[in-house]
Amino acid sequence: PSSSIGQTVHISLTVPSSRQSCVPDLTKSCRKAHPIARTSFFSRGLLPSRARWAFHFASTPSYHRKALNVSTTMPNPVGKTFHIGTVGKPWGTEERAAWLAELKVKRSYHEEVVDKLEPLKADFDVHQYGALTYGAPDDYPLFAVQTRSWDASKPSVLVTGGVHGYETSGVQGALLFASTKMRHYSQWCNILVAPCVSPWGYAHIQRWNAKAEDPNRSFKSDALGEESSALFSLLSSLHVQQWLMHIDCHETTDTDETEFRPAKAARDGVRFEPGTIPDGFYLVGNSEAPYPEWHTAMIEAVKQETHIAPDASILGEPVGPPGCIFVPSSSLGLCASATNATYAATTEVYPDSEQADDEVCNRAQVACITGGLDYLLSHLGLK
C-alpha cells in the first residue's frame, strides 16, 4: 500500500534448528514475492532459532535496480546507531564484554569443517597448526591441508578461507577446492590450504573474533591477533622463499551493511553512514602490485558459475578490469598480504543474490582459484 512507501517492516520467525538451512531460501522467496521491496535477512537474534527479515518499501527508482543487476544502498533496519556503546565514544572493556555476552554458538565448526578434513588425509597431509584460546582447548583447533612431497623446485600456492568466519563459502569453497581440484594441480605446484582461519567466527557466524577484532585487518606487525599469528607461524615453518599465488576466499553479505558496519561504527566511536552491497562477485587486488590480466582471467572463470558485480557498485573504489578493485593490502593488514606472493587477491562472493545459492557460491570460489592457477601455469610456462 502507498502508506508503506519509505517504511521498513520487520518480520521475525522462530526457525527450528532442524530447518536452519531454509533461511536463505525463505529470503529469496520473500524477494520474489515482492520484488519492489528491498528484502534482507539481517539477524538471527540472540538465539539461533530466531530469524529476522527487513522489507524496505521505497519510492525511488534505486530500489528497482536489483532487477537490473545494479547494487542499491540498503537501509539499516536496526537504525543508524548500534545498540551497544555511545556515538562518538569508542568501545572499552565493558562494551566489548557486552557484545561478546550476546553471542552464542550457531553452528558446529567440528561437524561442518573439521569432519570434512578426514577424507582428505588419503591424498594430503592434514595437520593442526595451532588452536585459538577462546573457549575450551579443543573448541577451535586450526588445520591446514598440504600437498605431500613438498618440492622447493615447484611454485608454492596458498589458499585461505574463513578469515571472516561468517562468510560461509570462503570456508566451504576452500574445502571444495581441496577435495576436487587440489590433487590435479599438485602435479605442478606445492599447495597449502588453510580452510578456516577464524573458527570461532565460523561457529558464531561473526566477522570479528571474540575480542571484537577484525582478523582481516590483523596481518601486520602492529595489529596481530591469534588467527594471524598462528597462520604466520605456519607459513614460516614451510621456509618458502617466494610464493607464487595466494587466494583468500571471502563473501560480501547483506549483513555487512545491516549488522557489521553499524557495529564497527559503534566500536570505533563514529557515526554509522549507510553504504552499498555489490550485487555479484568481485575481486580485491593489491594496488601495490596489480596484475590486471590475471584478475581478468579469474573473473572470466567465475562468470561460468555466477554473475559479476557491476563496476559502479563496488564499494566506491576505483575499478580496474571489470569486477576488480585494488587496495593497499599490506598497509590494511589483509590476509591476502600474509605472504610475499607475486599474485595475490581476495575473492568476494555475494551469497544473498537471487541468482546464487550455497552450491553456486562454493563453485565460484573454486572457479576463481583454478582460473588463477590455469592462467599462471599457462602464461608462465609452468605446465
Side-chain angles (χ1 to χ4, degrees), residues 296-307:
T296 297
M298 292 189 286
I299 289 292
E300 290 301 316
V302 172
K303 281 182 180 178
Q304 307 306 310
E305 302 293 347
T306 191
H307 62 292

Side-chain angles (χ1 to χ4, degrees), residues 5-19:
I5 297 298
Q7 301 297 311
T8 298
V9 179
H10 293 176
I11 294 178
S12 296
L13 296 175
T14 298
V15 183
S17 58
S18 61
R19 310 292 271 182

Side-chain angles (χ1 to χ4, degrees), residues 36 46 76 312 341:
I36 71 165
L46 303 185
N76 172 20

Side-chain angles (χ1 to χ4, degrees), residues 151-236:
D151 185 347
S153 67
K154 289 182 178 180
S156 296
V157 171
L158 173 64
V159 175
T160 48
V163 177
H164 287 151
Y166 74 137
E167 296 170 1
T168 307
S169 75
V171 177
Q172 299 302 329
L175 288 170
L176 183 61
F177 168 77
S179 64
T180 62
K181 301 294 184 179
M182 185 166 163
R183 183 177 180 183
H184 171 71
Y185 287 98
S186 68
Q187 300 174 73
W188 306 285
C189 304
N190 303 313
I191 304 174
L192 179 71
V193 176
C196 193
V197 174
S198 181
W200 183 91
Y202 187 90
H204 290 79
I205 312 184
Q206 286 293 316
R207 179 185 181 96
W208 293 338
N209 62 22
K211 298 178 180 178
E213 298 168 343
D214 189 337
N216 204 36
R217 298 296 184 274
S218 69
F219 286 86
K220 52 184 179 178
S221 59
D222 61 348
L224 289 175
E226 291 190 23
E227 298 82 5
S228 55
S229 293
L231 186 61
F232 275 138
S233 294
L234 169 63
L235 298 174
S236 177

Side-chain angles (χ1 to χ4, degrees), residues 82-163:
F82 196 63
H83 65 282
I84 295 174
T86 303
V87 175
K89 180 182 177 183
W91 283 3
T93 303
E94 182 178 344
E95 289 83 4
R96 290 172 185 264
W99 171 80
L100 182 61
E102 291 187 349
L103 304 179
K104 307 295 181 183
V105 171
K106 297 177 179 178
R107 57 185 175 185
S108 173
Y109 166 64
H110 284 267
E111 292 178 5
E112 297 187 18
V113 181
V114 178
D115 288 354
K116 291 183 178 181
L117 298 174
E118 192 63 31
L120 299 178
K121 294 179 179 178
D123 295 311
F124 310 109
D125 292 331
V126 178
H127 51 90
Q128 183 176 343
Y129 67 91
L132 301 181
T133 62
Y134 325 132
D138 296 332
D139 283 352
Y140 304 114
L142 300 164
F143 290 97
V145 183
Q146 182 177 341
T147 51
R148 289 176 177 154
S149 302
W150 196 268
D151 185 347
S153 67
K154 289 182 178 180
S156 296
V157 171
L158 173 64
V159 175
T160 48
V163 177

Side-chain angles (χ1 to χ4, degrees), residues 296-368:
T296 297
M298 292 189 286
I299 289 292
E300 290 301 316
V302 172
K303 281 182 180 178
Q304 307 306 310
E305 302 293 347
T306 191
H307 62 292
I308 307 303
D311 291 349
S313 73
I314 307 179
L315 307 181
E317 296 288 342
V319 177
C324 304
I325 61 174
F326 294 89
V327 301
S329 300
S330 296
S331 60
L332 290 174
L334 303 188
C335 181
S337 69
T339 70
N340 63 354
T342 307
Y343 299 87
T346 301
T347 70
E348 295 289 354
V349 173
Y350 181 44
D352 297 313
S353 170
E354 295 175 12
Q355 305 177 53
D357 56 25
D358 291 349
E359 183 178 351
V360 167
C361 293
N362 295 341
R363 292 202 311 264
Q365 302 281 15
V366 174
C368 187

